[in-house]
Amino acid sequence: MANPQLKTNLQQQEKIAGMKLKQRPFVGYIAWLVQRITAVLLLILLPLKIYSGYAMAGKLPGIGVLSTLHLNAFLDAFLIFALIFHALYGFRVILIDVGWVKDNRSVFKLFTIIGAILCAVTFFFLVS
């Protein structure tokens, strides 16, 4: 007589083998990695922007180099990039955690496109 435990294990393995992988596993990793990188950028750039604003206003005596960083378009571009993508991918995580998102790939693509458009528009107005 066959072991019922073995039979259920075989049925479970057949179900698992028959399932298709619905999403590429690296999509979540890319979003996770971008979220971590932008978090580090924000930890550096936001205090630098605030501190350089005080230096530019003359509230910090003797720091002339720091006041020039406040008007640096390159640092502003990095700050805008980090803010936009950190916020969008954080919102993506919230949607996944709440259960409103079933397909991770489509939300990742959508938020990446929205982030790219927002960065391009913001950079255009920043440079011009």
Side-chain angles (χ1 to χ4, degrees), residues 10 23 41 59 64 81 98 102 106 110-111 119:
L10 287 175
Q23 55 188 350
L41 281 173
K59 305 235 179 188
F81 170 81
V98 170
K102 302 294 182 224
S106 62
L110 177 69
F111 283 174
C119 281

Side-chain angles (χ1 to χ4, degrees), residues 44-64:
I44 295 168
L45 294 176
L46 277 175
L48 183 65
K49 187 73 171 174
I50 293 168
Y51 198 66
S52 65
Y54 278 113
M56 189 173 163
K59 305 235 179 188
L60 300 173
I63 305 178

Side-chain angles (χ1 to χ4, degrees), residues 8 10 39 48-50 57-58 89 111 115 122 125 127-128:
T8 25
L10 287 175
L48 183 65
K49 187 73 171 174
I50 293 168
Y89 289 159
F111 283 174
T122 308
F125 287 113
V127 173
S128 63

